Amino acid sequence: MEVSNNYNYSIREHKFTIWFFRSLIFITLMVLVLVFTIKINESVTISEGEIIADNPQKDLKAPFDGQLQAILTREGQSVDAGDTLVIIINRELEAQKNQVDNELAYLKARAKTISELRSSLRTKLNTYASSTRISSQKLALDTQLLERHMEMTAYQAELMNSRLQSAKEKYEGDSILYHKNMLSKYEFNDARDSYLSLKESIVQLEDESMTYGGEKQLARNAYEKMENELILGKLELEENLNTLHQTEIELENQIKQAEATYTQLTKDLALQYITASEKGTVNFLFNTKLSSNLILKGDLLVSIAPETSNYYAKVSVPEKELPFLEKGLRARLKLNAFNQYGFGTLEGTLDFIAERKENELYYAHIKLPENNDLTLRPGYAVRGEIILKRMSIYQVFIKKIFNKIDGS
């Protein structure tokens, strides 16, 4: 009986051993399969970092010295983009603007006067040209008329010279006859008077011809004198026009400078209305109870915390891991402000890697999704990992061994 019991016990023990080793071999094979088939993340550990808003707090400072005129908001109030928050005034700038405005009006009036004067001088210059043309035409007409008179006088003188020759021959013949008492004294005197009359007429014609020639020269001299006077007047007008043109150019430059100054002063005075550049909440406001209403340039007037849902994480990365980092890698972040078991991790994408150290550390930016279930705030501390790639368990194990060896 005892032999049977021992035999049965040996059979059960043998079967247990067989099944134990089978189970051990199966588990070993499963572990090997899992080691070679299951992939896990190879990652860069992020030990520290913080949440930063894309739109930081906006500090609105005084653009110039002035006096506080009105405060149209209060701390904690929500404001929209374009809302006027504070109004400051600068009497000196306003006085400068009024002065430049008056100076601009004076310069424009003077420029208009000079333009009208130039137009008048150009009209007068055109009149001088017309006068020159008229004088030239008058000289041509007078010269033509006098030349005709001279031609007619010369023609008459030529005819009278022919008659004078006949009268002279008759006078000489009658003189001989008169001295021989062959002709009466009356007829002799008549022949002599005719001869002398013709001679006198010829002398008069010669005098007229000389007079016409003199008048022709006088007309030429008068024309040249008038032409010289017109040229001198024209040169004087052109000189005056050039002077006025230079003055007009100087005035145009002064007007441009005054307009630029006026535009700049207008822009500066427009800055007296301190407005919100975007929607947000006022978290600081200039306190008039602690100071006077006098504002100095650069004084902080209003600070606005923008209402934004765009954030990124600025994280420190190990220097030895920098060669493996590249833009577009996924990252998983855990926020100290939230329990990751209850809220989960925050997914992001690596989009910036610094090329130099900051405070002895390299850093990177991880872009966060705009819409997430966590209410983020600038300054929240984070930790986590940047996923490089998927690796088998044995590859990770081998890499860690080599890293340990390199580290030692």
Side-chain angles (χ1 to χ4, degrees):
M1 197 67 184
E2 290 181 358
V3 174
S4 177
N5 289 337
N6 289 333
Y7 178 76
N8 292 332
Y9 178 77
S10 298
I11 292 175
R12 287 196 300 271
E13 190 177 57
H14 177 72
K15 290 181 178 180
F16 174 78
T17 303
I18 292 174
W19 280 106
F20 174 76
F21 279 104
R22 285 178 179 177
S23 299
L24 185 61
I25 293 172
F26 177 76
I27 292 171
T28 303
L29 291 174
M30 289 297 295
V31 170
L32 290 175
V33 170
L34 292 175
V35 166
F36 283 93
T37 58
I38 293 179
K39 295 184 180 294
I40 61 176
N41 293 329
E42 181 191 12
S43 61
V44 174
T45 302
I46 298 171
S47 59
E48 61 178 345
E50 65 174 332
I51 299 297
I52 297 177
D54 278 342
N55 297 329
Q57 175 177 288
K58 302 293 183 182
D59 292 332
L60 305 178
K61 299 181 180 181
F64 46 73
D65 298 342
Q67 185 177 4
L68 188 63
Q69 187 180 44
I71 297 178
L72 306 177
T73 186
R74 64 180 184 278
E75 290 187 1
Q77 180 180 349
S78 296
V79 294
D80 293 325
D83 287 350
T84 301
L85 309 176
V86 177
I87 300 176
I88 58 177
I89 57 175
N90 188 306
R91 304 297 183 188
E92 183 178 353
L93 285 179
E94 290 181 351
Q96 290 179 6
K97 181 182 176 183
N98 292 332
Q99 181 180 357
V100 173
D101 190 18
N102 293 333
E103 181 181 357
L104 195 58
Y106 166 74
L107 291 174
K108 287 182 177 179
R110 187 180 175 192
K112 182 179 179 182
T113 301
I114 290 179
S115 177
E116 292 174 351
L117 185 58
R118 285 191 65 200
S119 177
S120 176
L121 290 179
R122 281 194 293 268
T123 302
K124 190 174 181 180
L125 194 61
N126 294 333
T127 303
Y128 270 50
S130 300
S131 299
T132 301
R133 186 172 60 255
I134 293 172
S135 298
S136 176
Q137 293 175 352
K138 182 176 183 303
L139 175 65
L141 291 174
D142 291 344
T143 301
Q144 184 178 5
L145 181 62
L146 291 172
E147 286 178 350
R148 288 181 179 178
H149 285 316
M150 291 174 65
E151 290 175 358
M152 291 179 62
T153 304
Y155 178 72
Q156 291 178 358
E158 184 180 356
L159 293 177
M160 287 188 175
N161 278 324
S162 299
R163 291 175 58 192
L164 180 62
Q165 186 65 30
S166 299
K168 180 179 180 182
E169 292 176 356
K170 184 176 183 304
Y171 168 67
E172 289 176 351
D174 290 347
S175 177
I176 294 172
L177 294 174
Y178 173 72
H179 285 93
K180 291 182 178 182
N181 295 321
M182 295 178 64
L183 187 67
S184 65
K185 187 176 182 179
Y186 174 78
E187 290 176 339
F188 171 72
N189 289 335
D190 186 55
R192 185 185 63 184
D193 291 341
S194 296
Y195 169 71
L196 293 175
S197 176
L198 285 173
K199 191 174 182 179
E200 184 179 356
S201 296
I202 290 173
V203 171
Q204 289 178 354
L205 288 174
E206 290 177 352
D207 290 341
E208 288 181 6
S209 180
M210 292 179 64
T211 301
Y212 291 144
E215 289 179 356
K216 179 181 177 181
Q217 187 62 41
L218 289 175
R220 167 63 62 179
N221 294 340
Y223 168 76
E224 291 178 353
K225 180 180 179 181
M226 181 177 291
E227 188 69 15
N228 292 332
E229 291 177 352
L230 290 174
I231 290 173
L232 292 175
K234 183 179 179 181
L235 291 175
E236 185 177 357
L237 283 177
E238 290 176 347
E239 184 177 356
N240 292 336
L241 280 172
N242 290 332
T243 302
L244 289 176
H245 181 60
Q246 293 298 325
T247 304
E248 195 171 34
I249 293 175
E250 293 175 1
L251 283 175
E252 288 177 356
N253 293 332
Q254 293 177 9
I255 288 173
K256 289 181 180 179
Q257 293 177 0
E259 287 178 342
T261 303
Y262 184 82
T263 301
Q264 186 60 46
L265 287 172
T266 301
K267 290 180 179 179
D268 291 341
L269 285 173
L271 297 177
Q272 65 184 342
Y273 299 96
I274 309 299
T275 59
S277 58
E278 60 184 274
K279 188 176 182 180
T281 303
V282 177
N283 60 9
F284 173 82
L285 189 62
F286 185 82
N287 194 337
T288 58
K289 294 181 180 179
L290 300 180
S291 61
S292 65
N293 285 348
L294 295 178
I295 304 294
L296 298 179
K297 182 179 180 180
D299 283 350
L300 180 60
L301 300 177
V302 184
S303 291
I304 299 176
E307 294 183 2
T308 177
S309 59
N310 299 327
Y311 295 92
Y312 67 91
K314 182 179 180 181
V315 298
S316 299
V317 292
E319 184 175 348
K320 63 180 181 179
E321 302 290 355
L322 284 175
F324 306 105
L325 297 180
E326 59 183 17
K327 293 181 179 180
L329 292 176
R330 293 189 305 114
R332 291 178 179 175
L333 302 177
K334 301 175 182 179
L335 279 74
N336 293 348
F338 299 95
N339 186 332
Q340 62 269 16
Y341 295 105
F343 294 91
T345 58
L346 192 61
E347 300 287 339
T349 305
L350 184 66
D351 69 343
F352 174 77
I353 304 169
E355 296 184 356
R356 61 179 62 189
K357 290 183 177 180
E358 181 181 288
N359 297 327
E360 302 301 326
L361 294 173
Y362 284 95
Y363 68 93
H365 290 174
I366 297 175
K367 185 178 180 181
L368 302 177
E370 295 184 5
N371 298 319
N372 55 74
D373 297 331
L374 302 179
T375 304
L376 301 180
R377 293 287 186 273
Y380 277 177
V382 298
R383 65 188 189 281
E385 62 179 0
I386 299 173
I387 301 171
L388 299 178
K389 59 182 178 180
R390 302 278 289 176
M391 297 179 64
S392 299
I393 295 176
Y394 83 93
Q395 292 175 321
V396 175
F397 181 71
I398 294 173
K399 182 178 179 181
K400 287 187 179 292
I401 291 174
F402 280 107
N403 287 340
K404 288 289 185 181
I405 294 173
D406 290 339
S408 63

